Amino acid sequence: DQQVKQNSPSLSVQEGRISILNCDYTNSMFDYFLWYKKYPAEGPTFLISISSIKDKNEDGRFTVFLNKSAKHLSLHIVPSQPGDSAVYFCAAKNQGAQKLVFGQGTRLTINP
Amino acid sequence: DADVTQTPRNRITKTGKRIMLECSQTKGHDRMYWYRQDPGLGLRLIYYSFDVKDINKGEISDGYSVSRQAQAKFSLSLESAIPNQTALYFCATSEPGTGIGEQFFGPGTRLTVL
């Protein structure tokens, strides 16, 4: 039972345009949502998070939106840069279990 | 120096062999985790430990065991490796508490079981 789903395995965006990565979840007990970025031959690194009591969090070029009624969150990157090419994982933290549940990942490619 | 280190970085082994993957951290975190990454499946939790005396199974613990030798060290063992354990393995750490639950990952070990 996949509690966190990223339905797009890959996404290709032109440099300078907006990249939108999507994530859906099923468990209403998740209290925080996180995005991680992973380059080849490296471990995932934390990018940005959002609390379940908010609907938007912004950090520079990165903005995460949360729609609780739809159980959907998205990561917007604008403008997209070549260094943004990586695999992005959506993760959710269960309020009680104190563990992270990860999605399958989306490979983002920024084309010059 | 890296805060979370994993050894080895790459390993090729044969079916039936015992293998140990090691993780060390200098972040001073009590919580440590082992994940595996497979294409199309994301990161799946194998085992986790909230302190030296606390070991818990994750969603895919069958075929694996762990040892928490100290606050800073958490090892993952495959007692008898099989080909479908070929994957990228990551160790991670986090602080206790009810915050966002951010985890810090090591660079990974690429394991191939022939």
Side-chain angles (χ1 to χ4, degrees):
Chain A
D1 180 25
Q2 191 83 26
Q3 296 186 67
V4 178
K5 292 184 180 180
Q6 295 175 256
N7 292 315
S8 298
S10 63
L11 176 66
S12 184
V13 174
Q14 193 169 3
E15 181 179 359
R17 306 293 276 268
I18 184 171
S19 296
I20 301 176
L21 295 95
N22 294 303
C23 180
D24 297 297
Y25 64 95
T26 58
N27 190 339
S28 58
M29 293 299 293
F30 291 142
D31 59 350
Y32 281 96
F33 300 90
L34 299 82
W35 285 94
Y36 277 81
K37 178 179 181 179
K38 184 186 177 306
Y39 291 121
E42 296 182 11
T45 55
F46 171 74
L47 186 59
I48 191 170
S49 67
I50 188 167
S51 164
S52 60
I53 62 173
K54 295 187 175 181
D55 55 17
K56 177 182 176 181
N57 188 28
E58 189 172 359
D59 183 3
R61 296 185 298 112
F62 303 91
T63 303
V64 57
F65 296 91
L66 176 63
N67 182 332
K68 287 186 66 177
S69 61
K71 293 190 172 66
H72 177 84
L73 65 155
S74 59
L75 175 67
H76 293 211
I77 307 173
V78 55
S80 299
Q81 299 175 353
D84 297 329
S85 294
V87 176
Y88 290 79
F89 291 101
C90 169
K93 184 173 82 69
N94 186 298
Q95 192 171 24
Q98 297 291 307
K99 296 181 294 181
L100 294 181
V101 180
F102 286 84
Q104 305 95 314
T106 297
R107 181 177 302 277
L108 175 65
T109 302
I110 306 301
N111 301 306
Chain B
D1 288 340
D3 294 320
V4 184
T5 57
Q6 294 183 232
T7 56
R9 293 294 313 277
N10 290 281
R11 181 73 182 267
I12 299 174
T13 191
K14 294 183 178 179
T15 297
K17 294 291 187 181
R18 184 179 188 274
I19 184 167
M20 179 181 289
L21 309 183
E22 299 187 348
C23 176
S24 295
Q25 53 113 349
T26 58
K27 299 188 76 67
H29 291 167
D30 287 326
R31 299 183 173 188
M32 298 187 75
Y33 310 81
W34 275 104
Y35 292 89
R36 65 177 278 176
Q37 182 192 354
D38 298 277
L41 296 177
L43 293 163
R44 294 183 293 166
L45 184 62
I46 306 172
Y47 270 95
Y48 61 103
S49 169
F50 281 179
D51 65 42
V52 176
K53 297 181 180 178
D54 177 74
I55 302 289
N56 303 281
K57 292 182 177 181
E59 59 181 306
I60 54 163
S61 59
D62 287 349
Y64 301 95
S65 63
V66 291
S67 173
R68 185 81 184 267
Q69 301 95 324
Q71 186 206 38
K73 295 185 182 297
F74 193 35
S75 300
L76 177 72
S77 293
L78 288 68
E79 296 301 326
S80 180
I82 56 177
N84 76 359
Q85 291 177 314
T86 293
L88 259 176
Y89 289 84
F90 291 101
C91 174
T93 73
S94 72
E95 293 180 324
T98 56
I100 65 172
E102 178 187 355
Q103 294 180 11
F104 299 84
F105 285 81
T109 294
R110 182 171 294 279
L111 177 66
T112 303
V113 183
L114 302 176

